[in-house]
Amino acid sequence: MAQSISPRTLPAEADVVVIGGGVVGAAILRELTKYRLSAVLIEKAPDVATGTSKANSGILHAGFDAEPGTWKARLNVRGSRLYKDIAEGLGIARREIGSLVVAKTDEQLQELERLLARGAINGVPGLELWSADETIAFEPGVARDVKGALWAPSAAVACPFLATTGFADNAVRNGGKVVTECAINGFVTENGTLKAVETTKGRIATRFAINAAGVHSAQVARLAQDDSFSIRPRKGEYVLLDKSVGHLVRTVLFPTPDKVSKGILVSPTVHGNVFIGPNSFAVDDPEDHETTRDGLAAIIAGARQIVPDVPVQAAITEFSGLRADGGKDFILAPSPALGGLFHAAGIQSPGLTAAPAIAEAVVEMLADAGLRLQANAKFIPENPRRAHFSELEPHEQAALIAADPLNGRVICRCETVTEAEIVAAIHAPCGARTVDGVKRRVRAGSGRCQGGFCGPRVTAILARELGIPITEVRKDSSESYLFYPRAETIGEESAYV
Ligand SMILES: Cc1cc2nc3c(=O)[nH]c(=O)nc-3n(C[C@H](O)[C@H](O)[C@H](O)COP(=O)(O)OP(=O)(O)OC[C@H]3O[C@@H](n4cnc5c(N)ncnc54)[C@H](O)[C@@H]3O)c2cc1C
């Protein structure tokens, strides 16, 4: 039976409008709901976490490689600490497995000493330089010609999708609004001051707007005649390996970084897979998400420099993400062109790690600019806990099935995801609206068959729960319809479920 989902319509006014539903925008929205004010996030895609926040390494960096004194250095370390406190309550999968930067030459060993010193200045806890023997003893798969490594115990792996949806869900629980398929068209101004934001869903009156539009943030700035920065997308490609080789490495393994990037890593994911990547090269198109043959070959070669026996035959998918390269540091500043507009732009790595700290810094800037902050006494910092069926004891599973038979219907066989979990993901405060939205929240389609088995079933469940014809269900982006022709007569019920 189809349940009604509250429509994501745009209110006429808000104290603050956040533009962009990546991890940064979602964290800012949640931070704003700690205060008694109205805040709305607009996102051009059908869901949050569809930009860079869906395709990155998922590492909560310890914070030793950012230049001391930069936003990156400050907010990385603060963000990493904040996740430690909030991840579990928000339902953000996180495992503190530490990281090793591996050196293979004497010059690289010197670089590790420089990183150690930087880390000390940045306030990174527990950093240690390890000998080759210590490194190999801890991580036996590492290349035998390793000369030493920098150990950072506070590094963690986390789920970047659940970080974004966790912040967004919590923000909505606390009164924030998320309006999807709503792109900014322009700013309404008076005497150089913001009065309203024009969107594809209408106008919203506001005094403050935050530009958190990722690789599109320079375009958003241009709408305010602000050309104070530009963004160059820089692609990073990955290969994801099956869970059957999840034991390959126990910690995040970095090469010694160069001037442009942290290099090609070999790392566990928080969900028990292993990934290799990313590489780094500039692209022109901010929507270019293709992977390339040359890029993948370079990743494999790079990964084998650190772990020679990387079993690439265990690859289950490949993907790429775009860094919003706006220069050396994050751009966290008021717009010089329009009063009331603030940029949270150029948020490259460690943007996932820094997101909750970026949110604090942005709200502080708004307060300095005159936004009145009165604590919201009703703020609930956590999301309701939901057990993962596959992780429960048999008697607990039996009790859940007795309470609701949908708990006994396994839709994704690779990841053991039940229909009850999928329905809950759709009806979450900022719930899934697309097949990939379900995948990002509960992992249906993330396993070895990559949705070959569960894809049609998830599609039918979405149609039923959203009360839409199955022909209206989309994979991810606004036009990614799964059925052609989209005759509305095919019906809401499906033979698949
Ligand atoms: C290859 C790679 C690896 C990385 N690894 C790590 C890592 O391990 N750890 C780490 O901390 N960081 C990492 N990062 C960085 C991290 O992923 C980013 O800093 C973070 O995801 C940026 O989030 P965001 O919200 O700024 O951007 P996005 O996630 O891109 O969100 C911007 C949103 O704005 C929306 N938008 C755009 N234009 C408009 C418009 N006109 N109207 C409305 N909405 C609009 C987009 O649809 C998008 O959803 C990595 C990045 C890359 C590319």
Side-chain angles (χ1 to χ4, degrees), residues 250-314:
R250 59 192 283 199
T251 189
V252 181
L253 291 174
F254 294 98
T256 304
D258 59 30
K259 285 198 168 57
V260 184
S261 85
K262 296 186 179 73
I264 290 166
L265 347 174
V266 179
S267 173
T269 72
V270 73
H271 296 295
N273 299 76
V274 170
F275 76 79
I276 60 175
N279 53 358
S280 178
F281 57 97
V283 294
D284 295 324
D285 179 3
E287 301 293 342
D288 176 357
H289 295 290
E290 287 184 357
T291 49
T292 62
R293 180 191 286 247
D294 288 352
L296 297 178
I299 290 168
I300 293 167
R304 286 189 168 147
Q305 290 287 314
I306 317 182
V307 178
D309 294 332
V310 164
V312 284
Q313 69 279 8

Short mmCIF file of all heavy atoms in Angstrom, two decimals, residues 250-314:
data_model
loop_
_atom_site.label_atom_id
_atom_site.label_comp_id
_atom_site.label_asym_id
_atom_site.label_seq_id
_atom_site.Cartn_x
_atom_site.Cartn_y
_atom_site.Cartn_z
N ARG A 250 44.74 -3.94 6.76
CA ARG A 250 43.98 -3.64 7.98
C ARG A 250 43.87 -2.15 8.25
O ARG A 250 43.12 -1.72 9.10
CB ARG A 250 44.56 -4.38 9.18
CG ARG A 250 46.02 -4.02 9.47
CD ARG A 250 46.63 -4.97 10.47
NE ARG A 250 46.20 -4.68 11.82
CZ ARG A 250 46.85 -5.12 12.90
NH1 ARG A 250 47.94 -5.87 12.77
NH2 ARG A 250 46.42 -4.81 14.11
N THR A 251 44.69 -1.36 7.55
CA THR A 251 44.67 0.08 7.79
C THR A 251 44.71 0.81 6.44
O THR A 251 44.86 0.20 5.40
CB THR A 251 45.87 0.48 8.67
OG1 THR A 251 45.72 1.84 9.07
CG2 THR A 251 47.20 0.35 7.92
N VAL A 252 44.55 2.14 6.49
CA VAL A 252 44.61 2.95 5.26
C VAL A 252 46.09 3.11 4.89
O VAL A 252 46.87 3.62 5.70
CB VAL A 252 43.99 4.35 5.49
CG1 VAL A 252 44.03 5.16 4.21
CG2 VAL A 252 42.57 4.24 6.04
N LEU A 253 46.44 2.71 3.68
CA LEU A 253 47.84 2.81 3.25
C LEU A 253 47.99 3.89 2.19
O LEU A 253 47.44 3.77 1.09
CB LEU A 253 48.30 1.46 2.67
CG LEU A 253 48.42 0.31 3.66
CD1 LEU A 253 48.75 -0.99 2.93
CD2 LEU A 253 49.50 0.60 4.70
N PHE A 254 48.73 4.94 2.54
CA PHE A 254 49.03 6.02 1.58
C PHE A 254 50.47 5.87 1.11
O PHE A 254 51.34 5.49 1.91
CB PHE A 254 49.00 7.39 2.27
CG PHE A 254 47.69 7.85 2.79
CD1 PHE A 254 47.38 7.68 4.14
CD2 PHE A 254 46.79 8.50 1.97
CE1 PHE A 254 46.18 8.15 4.64
CE2 PHE A 254 45.60 8.97 2.47
CZ PHE A 254 45.29 8.80 3.81
N PRO A 255 50.76 6.28 -0.13
CA PRO A 255 52.16 6.49 -0.48
C PRO A 255 52.59 7.83 0.15
O PRO A 255 51.74 8.57 0.66
CB PRO A 255 52.13 6.59 -2.00
CG PRO A 255 50.78 7.16 -2.30
CD PRO A 255 49.84 6.65 -1.22
N THR A 256 53.84 8.16 0.08
CA THR A 256 54.26 9.49 0.52
C THR A 256 53.68 10.50 -0.48
O THR A 256 53.82 10.31 -1.69
CB THR A 256 55.80 9.59 0.57
OG1 THR A 256 56.27 8.54 1.42
CG2 THR A 256 56.25 10.92 1.13
N PRO A 257 52.99 11.55 0.01
CA PRO A 257 52.28 12.44 -0.91
C PRO A 257 53.21 13.29 -1.76
O PRO A 257 54.34 13.55 -1.37
CB PRO A 257 51.45 13.33 0.02
CG PRO A 257 52.17 13.29 1.33
CD PRO A 257 52.83 11.96 1.41
N ASP A 258 52.68 13.69 -2.95
CA ASP A 258 53.43 14.68 -3.74
C ASP A 258 52.74 16.03 -3.55
O ASP A 258 51.85 16.17 -2.71
CB ASP A 258 53.52 14.27 -5.22
CG ASP A 258 52.16 14.11 -5.84
OD1 ASP A 258 51.21 14.82 -5.41
OD2 ASP A 258 52.00 13.28 -6.76
N LYS A 259 53.12 17.02 -4.38
CA LYS A 259 52.59 18.37 -4.18
C LYS A 259 51.12 18.49 -4.54
O LYS A 259 50.40 19.36 -4.06
CB LYS A 259 53.40 19.38 -5.01
CG LYS A 259 54.76 19.66 -4.41
CD LYS A 259 55.35 20.94 -4.98
CE LYS A 259 56.55 21.41 -4.21
NZ LYS A 259 57.64 20.44 -4.13
N VAL A 260 50.62 17.60 -5.43
CA VAL A 260 49.26 17.74 -5.94
C VAL A 260 48.24 16.92 -5.15
O VAL A 260 47.13 17.37 -4.89
CB VAL A 260 49.20 17.33 -7.43
CG1 VAL A 260 47.82 17.55 -8.02
CG2 VAL A 260 50.24 18.09 -8.23
N SER A 261 48.59 15.71 -4.80
CA SER A 261 47.58 14.87 -4.15
C SER A 261 48.22 13.92 -3.15
O SER A 261 49.46 13.85 -3.04
CB SER A 261 46.80 14.08 -5.20
OG SER A 261 47.49 12.90 -5.52
N LYS A 262 47.35 13.21 -2.45
CA LYS A 262 47.83 12.28 -1.43
C LYS A 262 48.31 10.98 -2.07
O LYS A 262 48.79 10.09 -1.39
CB LYS A 262 46.72 12.01 -0.43
CG LYS A 262 46.30 13.25 0.36
CD LYS A 262 45.29 12.90 1.43
CE LYS A 262 44.90 14.12 2.23
NZ LYS A 262 44.04 15.05 1.51
N GLY A 263 48.11 10.85 -3.39
CA GLY A 263 48.58 9.67 -4.09
C GLY A 263 47.56 8.54 -4.10
O GLY A 263 46.44 8.69 -3.60
N ILE A 264 47.97 7.42 -4.68
CA ILE A 264 47.05 6.28 -4.84
C ILE A 264 47.14 5.38 -3.62
O ILE A 264 48.22 4.89 -3.26
CB ILE A 264 47.39 5.53 -6.14
CG1 ILE A 264 46.99 6.44 -7.31
CG2 ILE A 264 46.67 4.19 -6.21
CD1 ILE A 264 47.55 6.03 -8.63
N LEU A 265 46.00 5.18 -2.98
CA LEU A 265 45.96 4.44 -1.73
C LEU A 265 45.45 3.03 -1.92
O LEU A 265 44.80 2.72 -2.92
CB LEU A 265 45.03 5.08 -0.68
CG LEU A 265 44.45 6.47 -0.81
CD1 LEU A 265 43.48 6.69 0.33
CD2 LEU A 265 45.56 7.46 -0.76
N VAL A 266 45.70 2.22 -0.93
CA VAL A 266 45.04 0.93 -0.80
C VAL A 266 44.39 0.99 0.57
O VAL A 266 45.07 1.22 1.57
CB VAL A 266 46.04 -0.24 -0.87
CG1 VAL A 266 45.31 -1.57 -0.71
CG2 VAL A 266 46.83 -0.20 -2.17
N SER A 267 43.08 0.81 0.62
CA SER A 267 42.41 1.03 1.90
C SER A 267 41.18 0.16 2.07
O SER A 267 40.45 -0.08 1.10
CB SER A 267 41.98 2.51 1.99
OG SER A 267 41.20 2.72 3.15
N PRO A 268 40.93 -0.27 3.29
CA PRO A 268 39.65 -0.90 3.57
C PRO A 268 38.55 0.16 3.49
O PRO A 268 38.82 1.34 3.72
CB PRO A 268 39.77 -1.39 5.01
CG PRO A 268 41.18 -1.20 5.41
CD PRO A 268 41.77 -0.17 4.50
N THR A 269 37.33 -0.24 3.15
CA THR A 269 36.20 0.68 3.31
C THR A 269 35.55 0.35 4.65
O THR A 269 35.78 -0.72 5.22
CB THR A 269 35.15 0.53 2.20
OG1 THR A 269 34.45 -0.70 2.41
CG2 THR A 269 35.78 0.55 0.82
N VAL A 270 34.71 1.24 5.09
CA VAL A 270 34.06 1.02 6.39
C VAL A 270 33.15 -0.20 6.35
O VAL A 270 32.88 -0.83 7.38
CB VAL A 270 33.30 2.30 6.83
CG1 VAL A 270 32.03 2.51 6.03
CG2 VAL A 270 33.02 2.27 8.32
N HIS A 271 32.70 -0.59 5.15
CA HIS A 271 31.78 -1.71 5.04
C HIS A 271 32.48 -3.04 4.71
O HIS A 271 31.82 -4.02 4.41
CB HIS A 271 30.71 -1.41 3.98
CG HIS A 271 29.85 -0.24 4.33
ND1 HIS A 271 28.99 -0.24 5.40
CD2 HIS A 271 29.72 0.98 3.77
CE1 HIS A 271 28.37 0.92 5.48
NE2 HIS A 271 28.79 1.69 4.51
N GLY A 272 33.82 -3.04 4.72
CA GLY A 272 34.52 -4.31 4.59
C GLY A 272 35.03 -4.64 3.19
O GLY A 272 35.55 -5.73 2.97
N ASN A 273 34.89 -3.72 2.24
CA ASN A 273 35.53 -3.91 0.93
C ASN A 273 36.95 -3.33 1.01
O ASN A 273 37.38 -2.86 2.07
CB ASN A 273 34.76 -3.17 -0.18
CG ASN A 273 33.36 -3.67 -0.34
OD1 ASN A 273 32.48 -3.37 0.46
ND2 ASN A 273 33.13 -4.44 -1.37
N VAL A 274 37.64 -3.34 -0.12
CA VAL A 274 38.93 -2.65 -0.25
C VAL A 274 38.84 -1.80 -1.50
O VAL A 274 38.24 -2.23 -2.49
CB VAL A 274 40.09 -3.66 -0.38
CG1 VAL A 274 41.40 -2.97 -0.77
CG2 VAL A 274 40.29 -4.43 0.91
N PHE A 275 39.39 -0.57 -1.46
CA PHE A 275 39.46 0.19 -2.71
C PHE A 275 40.90 0.54 -3.01
O PHE A 275 41.74 0.61 -2.10
CB PHE A 275 38.58 1.45 -2.67
CG PHE A 275 39.14 2.59 -1.87
CD1 PHE A 275 40.14 3.42 -2.38
CD2 PHE A 275 38.68 2.84 -0.59
CE1 PHE A 275 40.67 4.46 -1.63
CE2 PHE A 275 39.20 3.89 0.17
CZ PHE A 275 40.20 4.70 -0.36
N ILE A 276 41.15 0.78 -4.32
CA ILE A 276 42.44 1.33 -4.74
C ILE A 276 42.15 2.59 -5.55
O ILE A 276 41.16 2.67 -6.26
CB ILE A 276 43.30 0.32 -5.51
CG1 ILE A 276 42.61 -0.19 -6.79
CG2 ILE A 276 43.67 -0.87 -4.64
CD1 ILE A 276 43.49 -1.11 -7.64
N GLY A 277 42.97 3.60 -5.38
CA GLY A 277 42.77 4.89 -6.04
C GLY A 277 42.91 5.98 -5.01
O GLY A 277 43.25 5.70 -3.86
N PRO A 278 42.68 7.22 -5.31
CA PRO A 278 42.35 7.76 -6.61
C PRO A 278 43.59 8.35 -7.31
O PRO A 278 44.57 8.66 -6.66
CB PRO A 278 41.40 8.91 -6.24
CG PRO A 278 41.98 9.43 -4.93
CD PRO A 278 42.56 8.24 -4.23
N ASN A 279 43.49 8.49 -8.64
CA ASN A 279 44.48 9.29 -9.35
C ASN A 279 44.01 10.74 -9.34
O ASN A 279 43.06 11.08 -8.60
CB ASN A 279 44.68 8.76 -10.78
CG ASN A 279 43.36 8.65 -11.52
OD1 ASN A 279 42.30 8.93 -10.97
ND2 ASN A 279 43.40 8.25 -12.77
N SER A 280 44.61 11.60 -10.11
CA SER A 280 44.24 13.02 -10.03
C SER A 280 44.59 13.72 -11.34
O SER A 280 45.76 13.77 -11.72
CB SER A 280 45.02 13.65 -8.87
OG SER A 280 44.75 15.02 -8.79
N PHE A 281 43.57 14.18 -12.06
CA PHE A 281 43.84 14.98 -13.26
C PHE A 281 42.68 15.93 -13.53
O PHE A 281 41.52 15.65 -13.20
CB PHE A 281 44.12 14.10 -14.49
CG PHE A 281 43.04 13.11 -14.84
CD1 PHE A 281 42.10 13.42 -15.82
CD2 PHE A 281 42.96 11.89 -14.21
CE1 PHE A 281 41.10 12.50 -16.15
CE2 PHE A 281 41.98 10.96 -14.54
CZ PHE A 281 41.05 11.28 -15.51
N ALA A 282 43.03 17.10 -14.10
CA ALA A 282 42.03 18.15 -14.34
C ALA A 282 41.10 17.75 -15.49
O ALA A 282 41.53 17.13 -16.46
CB ALA A 282 42.73 19.45 -14.66
N VAL A 283 39.82 18.09 -15.35
CA VAL A 283 38.86 17.90 -16.45
C VAL A 283 38.11 19.21 -16.62
O VAL A 283 38.07 20.06 -15.72
CB VAL A 283 37.86 16.75 -16.16
CG1 VAL A 283 38.57 15.41 -16.12
CG2 VAL A 283 37.08 16.97 -14.87
N ASP A 284 37.48 19.38 -17.81
CA ASP A 284 36.76 20.63 -18.06
C ASP A 284 35.31 20.56 -17.59
O ASP A 284 34.75 21.55 -17.13
CB ASP A 284 36.78 20.94 -19.57
CG ASP A 284 38.20 21.23 -20.03
OD1 ASP A 284 38.94 21.83 -19.23
OD2 ASP A 284 38.56 20.81 -21.15
N ASP A 285 34.72 19.38 -17.74
CA ASP A 285 33.28 19.24 -17.52
C ASP A 285 32.99 18.86 -16.06
O ASP A 285 33.41 17.78 -15.61
CB ASP A 285 32.76 18.15 -18.47
CG ASP A 285 31.28 17.90 -18.31
OD1 ASP A 285 30.63 18.59 -17.49
OD2 ASP A 285 30.76 16.99 -18.98
N PRO A 286 32.26 19.70 -15.33
CA PRO A 286 31.97 19.37 -13.93
C PRO A 286 30.97 18.21 -13.77
O PRO A 286 30.63 17.84 -12.65
CB PRO A 286 31.38 20.67 -13.37
CG PRO A 286 30.91 21.45 -14.54
CD PRO A 286 31.73 21.03 -15.71
N GLU A 287 30.52 17.65 -14.88
CA GLU A 287 29.63 16.48 -14.81
C GLU A 287 30.31 15.24 -15.38
O GLU A 287 29.66 14.22 -15.62
CB GLU A 287 28.33 16.74 -15.61
CG GLU A 287 27.51 17.92 -15.15
CD GLU A 287 26.91 17.74 -13.77
OE1 GLU A 287 26.83 16.59 -13.30
OE2 GLU A 287 26.54 18.75 -13.15
N ASP A 288 31.62 15.30 -15.60
CA ASP A 288 32.33 14.18 -16.22
C ASP A 288 32.68 13.13 -15.16
O ASP A 288 33.64 13.30 -14.42
CB ASP A 288 33.60 14.74 -16.90
CG ASP A 288 34.47 13.64 -17.49
OD1 ASP A 288 34.14 12.45 -17.33
OD2 ASP A 288 35.49 13.98 -18.12
N HIS A 289 31.89 12.06 -15.13
CA HIS A 289 32.13 11.03 -14.11
C HIS A 289 32.61 9.71 -14.71
O HIS A 289 32.54 8.67 -14.05
CB HIS A 289 30.86 10.81 -13.29
CG HIS A 289 30.47 12.00 -12.49
ND1 HIS A 289 31.19 12.43 -11.40
CD2 HIS A 289 29.48 12.90 -12.65
CE1 HIS A 289 30.65 13.52 -10.91
NE2 HIS A 289 29.61 13.84 -11.65
N GLU A 290 33.04 9.76 -15.96
CA GLU A 290 33.47 8.51 -16.59
C GLU A 290 34.80 8.05 -16.01
O GLU A 290 35.60 8.86 -15.54
CB GLU A 290 33.63 8.73 -18.09
CG GLU A 290 32.27 8.84 -18.75
CD GLU A 290 32.34 8.96 -20.25
OE1 GLU A 290 33.46 9.02 -20.78
OE2 GLU A 290 31.26 9.01 -20.85
N THR A 291 35.01 6.75 -16.08
CA THR A 291 36.33 6.25 -15.73
C THR A 291 37.07 5.93 -17.03
O THR A 291 36.44 5.66 -18.06
CB THR A 291 36.24 4.97 -14.86
OG1 THR A 291 35.34 4.06 -15.49
CG2 THR A 291 35.75 5.30 -13.48
N THR A 292 38.38 6.01 -16.97
CA THR A 292 39.17 5.85 -18.20
C THR A 292 40.09 4.63 -18.09
O THR A 292 40.54 4.28 -16.99
CB THR A 292 40.06 7.09 -18.44
OG1 THR A 292 40.97 7.20 -17.34
CG2 THR A 292 39.23 8.37 -18.52
N ARG A 293 40.34 4.03 -19.23
CA ARG A 293 41.22 2.85 -19.26
C ARG A 293 42.62 3.20 -18.74
O ARG A 293 43.18 2.50 -17.91
CB ARG A 293 41.30 2.36 -20.70
CG ARG A 293 42.20 1.14 -20.89
CD ARG A 293 42.40 0.92 -22.35
NE ARG A 293 41.20 0.37 -22.95
CZ ARG A 293 41.14 -0.86 -23.45
NH1 ARG A 293 42.19 -1.62 -23.45
NH2 ARG A 293 40.02 -1.32 -23.97
N ASP A 294 43.16 4.34 -19.20
CA ASP A 294 44.51 4.74 -18.78
C ASP A 294 44.55 5.01 -17.28
O ASP A 294 45.49 4.66 -16.58
CB ASP A 294 44.95 6.02 -19.51
CG ASP A 294 45.26 5.74 -20.96
OD1 ASP A 294 45.27 4.54 -21.35
OD2 ASP A 294 45.46 6.71 -21.72
N GLY A 295 43.46 5.67 -16.82
CA GLY A 295 43.40 6.01 -15.40
C GLY A 295 43.39 4.76 -14.54
O GLY A 295 44.12 4.66 -13.54
N LEU A 296 42.60 3.79 -14.94
CA LEU A 296 42.49 2.57 -14.14
C LEU A 296 43.82 1.81 -14.15
O LEU A 296 44.24 1.26 -13.12
CB LEU A 296 41.34 1.70 -14.64
CG LEU A 296 39.96 2.38 -14.51
CD1 LEU A 296 38.86 1.49 -15.07
CD2 LEU A 296 39.64 2.75 -13.06
N ALA A 297 44.49 1.82 -15.30
CA ALA A 297 45.80 1.15 -15.38
C ALA A 297 46.79 1.84 -14.43
O ALA A 297 47.56 1.18 -13.72
CB ALA A 297 46.33 1.19 -16.81
N ALA A 298 46.72 3.17 -14.37
CA ALA A 298 47.64 3.92 -13.49
C ALA A 298 47.33 3.61 -12.03
O ALA A 298 48.25 3.50 -11.19
CB ALA A 298 47.51 5.42 -13.77
N ILE A 299 46.04 3.48 -11.71
CA ILE A 299 45.66 3.17 -10.32
C ILE A 299 46.20 1.80 -9.91
O ILE A 299 46.76 1.64 -8.82
CB ILE A 299 44.12 3.18 -10.19
CG1 ILE A 299 43.60 4.59 -10.31
CG2 ILE A 299 43.70 2.58 -8.85
CD1 ILE A 299 42.11 4.62 -10.48
N ILE A 300 46.03 0.84 -10.80
CA ILE A 300 46.50 -0.51 -10.46
C ILE A 300 48.02 -0.50 -10.26
O ILE A 300 48.53 -1.04 -9.28
CB ILE A 300 46.07 -1.51 -11.57
CG1 ILE A 300 44.54 -1.64 -11.57
CG2 ILE A 300 46.74 -2.87 -11.37
CD1 ILE A 300 43.95 -2.33 -12.77
N ALA A 301 48.71 0.19 -11.17
CA ALA A 301 50.18 0.26 -11.03
C ALA A 301 50.55 0.97 -9.73
O ALA A 301 51.46 0.52 -9.01
CB ALA A 301 50.76 1.00 -12.23
N GLY A 302 49.83 2.05 -9.41
CA GLY A 302 50.13 2.81 -8.19
C GLY A 302 49.87 1.97 -6.94
O GLY A 302 50.68 1.96 -6.00
N ALA A 303 48.75 1.25 -6.93
CA ALA A 303 48.40 0.44 -5.76
C ALA A 303 49.44 -0.65 -5.56
O ALA A 303 49.82 -0.97 -4.42
CB ALA A 303 47.02 -0.18 -5.96
N ARG A 304 49.96 -1.19 -6.67
CA ARG A 304 50.94 -2.29 -6.55
C ARG A 304 52.28 -1.81 -6.03
O ARG A 304 53.09 -2.61 -5.55
CB ARG A 304 51.09 -2.99 -7.90
CG ARG A 304 49.86 -3.85 -8.17
CD ARG A 304 50.03 -4.73 -9.38
NE ARG A 304 48.95 -5.71 -9.39
CZ ARG A 304 48.40 -6.20 -10.49
NH1 ARG A 304 48.83 -5.82 -11.67
NH2 ARG A 304 47.42 -7.09 -10.40
N GLN A 305 52.51 -0.51 -6.09
CA GLN A 305 53.72 0.04 -5.47
C GLN A 305 53.66 -0.12 -3.96
O GLN A 305 54.68 -0.25 -3.31
CB GLN A 305 53.82 1.55 -5.77
CG GLN A 305 54.12 1.90 -7.20
CD GLN A 305 55.56 1.58 -7.54
OE1 GLN A 305 56.46 1.92 -6.77
NE2 GLN A 305 55.78 0.92 -8.66
N ILE A 306 52.46 -0.10 -3.40
CA ILE A 306 52.34 -0.21 -1.94
C ILE A 306 52.02 -1.65 -1.53
O ILE A 306 52.58 -2.16 -0.58
CB ILE A 306 51.20 0.69 -1.38
CG1 ILE A 306 51.20 2.05 -2.03
CG2 ILE A 306 51.33 0.82 0.12
CD1 ILE A 306 50.13 2.95 -1.47
N VAL A 307 51.07 -2.27 -2.24
CA VAL A 307 50.70 -3.66 -1.93
C VAL A 307 50.85 -4.45 -3.23
O VAL A 307 49.95 -4.44 -4.07
CB VAL A 307 49.25 -3.74 -1.39
CG1 VAL A 307 48.86 -5.19 -1.11
CG2 VAL A 307 49.09 -2.89 -0.13
N PRO A 308 51.98 -5.11 -3.44
CA PRO A 308 52.26 -5.74 -4.74
C PRO A 308 51.21 -6.77 -5.16
O PRO A 308 50.98 -6.95 -6.35
CB PRO A 308 53.63 -6.41 -4.53
CG PRO A 308 54.24 -5.66 -3.38
CD PRO A 308 53.13 -5.21 -2.52
N ASP A 309 50.57 -7.43 -4.18
CA ASP A 309 49.65 -8.51 -4.55
C ASP A 309 48.18 -8.08 -4.58
O ASP A 309 47.30 -8.89 -4.33
CB ASP A 309 49.80 -9.69 -3.57
CG ASP A 309 51.17 -10.33 -3.71
OD1 ASP A 309 51.74 -10.25 -4.83
OD2 ASP A 309 51.67 -10.86 -2.71
N VAL A 310 47.92 -6.83 -4.89
CA VAL A 310 46.51 -6.39 -4.95
C VAL A 310 45.76 -7.26 -5.97
O VAL A 310 46.16 -7.32 -7.14
CB VAL A 310 46.43 -4.90 -5.38
CG1 VAL A 310 45.02 -4.56 -5.82
CG2 VAL A 310 46.83 -4.00 -4.25
N PRO A 311 44.72 -7.96 -5.53
CA PRO A 311 44.03 -8.89 -6.44
C PRO A 311 43.00 -8.15 -7.30
O PRO A 311 41.81 -8.14 -6.98
CB PRO A 311 43.36 -9.87 -5.48
CG PRO A 311 43.15 -9.09 -4.23
CD PRO A 311 44.16 -7.98 -4.18
N VAL A 312 43.43 -7.56 -8.40
CA VAL A 312 42.51 -6.75 -9.19
C VAL A 312 41.40 -7.58 -9.82
O VAL A 312 40.36 -7.05 -10.21
CB VAL A 312 43.22 -5.92 -10.28
CG1 VAL A 312 43.92 -4.74 -9.68
CG2 VAL A 312 44.17 -6.76 -11.08
N GLN A 313 41.58 -8.89 -9.88
CA GLN A 313 40.51 -9.75 -10.41
C GLN A 313 39.29 -9.74 -9.48
O GLN A 313 38.21 -10.17 -9.87
CB GLN A 313 41.01 -11.19 -10.64
CG GLN A 313 41.35 -12.00 -9.40
CD GLN A 313 42.74 -11.68 -8.83
OE1 GLN A 313 43.40 -10.74 -9.27
NE2 GLN A 313 43.17 -12.44 -7.85
N ALA A 314 39.46 -9.21 -8.25
CA ALA A 314 38.33 -9.13 -7.32
C ALA A 314 37.56 -7.82 -7.48
O ALA A 314 36.68 -7.51 -6.67
CB ALA A 314 38.83 -9.26 -5.89
#
